[in-house]
Amino acid sequence: MTYKDFLTNCFEELEKLQDNLNKIYDINSFTKWNYDQASGIITLSKPGKIINFRYYQVGTYSTKSKTWKWSWDNENTTKNVVVDAEIIKGFGIANKYENLINGEFDSYEEIGWELSSICINLIGGIGVYRPFYDHLKIHIVLTELIDNELAEREKTKYVDCENHNRRRRAFICQHLNEGTKNGFEESFETVEDMEFEFEDDDFVAWCNECEKIRAEEDSLAGKCWEQGKFKVVCEKCYFKIKETNL
């Protein structure tokens, strides 16, 4: 199939999805948006109503440079919301579709909608939301509506770090810092970027002295938590601290 024919099929599918998205959620009526790349949640709001979706980012079109940039080629897009480059680029290479292979190229404003339709065809999604920030038109594929309370719970699991931007939260006792050698006890064995087994899991660590208190009480809560004065750090900081304290 030629690229033009494939794109036509994909765009027809997207038009149906957009009609359905607008019919159910009246998506264009929302006046404010905010996406949290760390949690992969975008929040749309208007007076009296807020809704949340999971999403992935296709890319951005710059009205200043007249260029398209795929999210996988953008260092400002966190990896958990980047469109699956392996699927898109692999398909592009197999079919010699240049627009699916090159990370950035000169283009026109409609390109974002076209490439978003292809992403939905190959990866999935319920429709596209396209906010506009400064000179960038950001093309986002919505994948599912999620409950507002769940969205807030998930977003609170991430913290802003002055050194590592926004990452998953972690808890450590006051005696653990990068460069100290005070031991490193954990609730369970951890590795960076791991997927938690349970929704309520967190990275939690404490030093050798706090471990003595925990062992006496057979509990991390209570005296150990109080005297340890546990603080919140980001996931990246947690593993840098782990490396020096082990």
Side-chain angles (χ1 to χ4, degrees), residues 24-26 29-30 43-51 148:
I24 297 175
Y25 303 112
D26 193 16
S29 68
F30 289 86
T43 302
L44 307 182
S45 60
K46 62 182 178 180
K49 190 168 185 178
I50 296 174
I51 57 176
N148 288 348

Side-chain angles (χ1 to χ4, degrees), residues 128-139:
V128 175
Y129 186 70
R130 197 228 60 197
F132 192 39
Y133 179 74
D134 194 13
H135 64 283
L136 296 176
K137 293 188 174 182
I138 308 168
H139 288 263

Side-chain angles (χ1 to χ4, degrees), residues 21-223:
L21 189 68
N22 288 321
K23 182 178 180 180
I24 297 175
Y25 303 112
D26 193 16
I27 205 80
N28 294 323
S29 68
F30 289 86
T31 54
K32 294 182 179 180
W33 63 275
N34 178 63
Y35 63 31
D36 184 65
Q37 291 194 46
S39 62
I41 295 172
I42 182 169
T43 302
L44 307 182
S45 60
K46 62 182 178 180
K49 190 168 185 178
I50 296 174
I51 57 176
N52 289 275
F53 294 90
R54 298 195 193 281
Y55 78 95
Y56 61 84
Q57 188 164 317
V58 179
T60 55
Y61 176 77
S62 170
T63 57
K64 182 183 295 184
S65 62
K66 310 297 183 185
T67 57
W68 168 260
K69 191 174 187 66
W70 282 98
S71 61
W72 73 64
D73 193 50
N74 192 335
E75 62 181 11
N76 295 317
T77 307
T78 57
K79 63 181 181 181
N80 60 315
V81 296
V82 168
V83 66
D84 194 322
E86 186 175 341
I87 292 177
I88 300 301
K89 292 178 72 173
F91 189 82
I93 292 169
N95 292 278
K96 299 181 180 179
Y97 296 162
E98 293 297 322
N99 285 353
L100 308 187
I101 302 172
N102 299 318
E104 184 174 10
F105 52 90
D106 295 336
S107 193
Y108 44 87
E109 291 197 24
E110 292 77 13
I111 190 68
W113 289 102
E114 295 175 2
L115 298 181
S116 295
S117 73
I118 290 176
C119 288
I120 287 181
N121 180 276
L122 297 177
I123 298 173
I126 61 174
V128 175
Y129 186 70
R130 197 228 60 197
F132 192 39
Y133 179 74
D134 194 13
H135 64 283
L136 296 176
K137 293 188 174 182
I138 308 168
H139 288 263
I140 289 170
V141 170
L142 309 177
T143 58
E144 66 172 326
L145 178 76
I146 61 171
D147 178 79
N148 288 348
E149 290 186 8
L150 174 61
E152 288 306 308
R153 285 201 306 272
E154 292 198 13
K155 284 190 282 189
T156 58
K157 294 180 180 179
Y158 297 82
V159 294
D160 294 314
C161 175
E162 61 180 9
N163 296 317
H164 305 118
N165 298 319
R166 186 164 172 81
R167 292 179 180 268
R168 280 189 294 185
R169 71 184 180 190
F171 298 89
I172 58 171
C173 75
Q174 63 172 324
H175 311 109
L176 294 178
N177 292 289
E178 190 174 348
T180 57
K181 298 183 182 297
N182 295 329
F184 200 89
E185 300 289 337
E186 298 182 283
S187 301
F188 48 85
E189 184 62 32
T190 65
V191 293
E192 196 168 354
D193 294 324
M194 69 182 290
E195 294 291 335
F196 290 139
E197 184 177 358
F198 302 106
E199 181 182 337
D200 294 332
D201 283 343
D202 280 301
F203 296 109
V204 184
W206 54 96
C207 68
N208 289 343
E209 291 303 311
C210 286
E211 170 60 13
K212 295 177 182 178
I213 301 173
R214 188 208 65 79
E216 287 177 1
E217 296 191 334
D218 194 28
S219 173
L220 185 61
K223 187 177 179 181

Side-chain angles (χ1 to χ4, degrees), residues 2-36:
T2 66
Y3 177 75
K4 183 177 179 181
D5 289 339
F6 176 61
L7 177 59
T8 298
N9 291 342
C10 292
F11 206 78
E12 288 176 353
E13 177 186 355
L14 176 59
E15 287 180 327
K16 294 176 183 177
L17 289 174
Q18 290 300 112
D19 286 343
N20 191 55
L21 189 68
N22 288 321
K23 182 178 180 180
I24 297 175
Y25 303 112
D26 193 16
I27 205 80
N28 294 323
S29 68
F30 289 86
T31 54
K32 294 182 179 180
W33 63 275
N34 178 63
Y35 63 31
D36 184 65

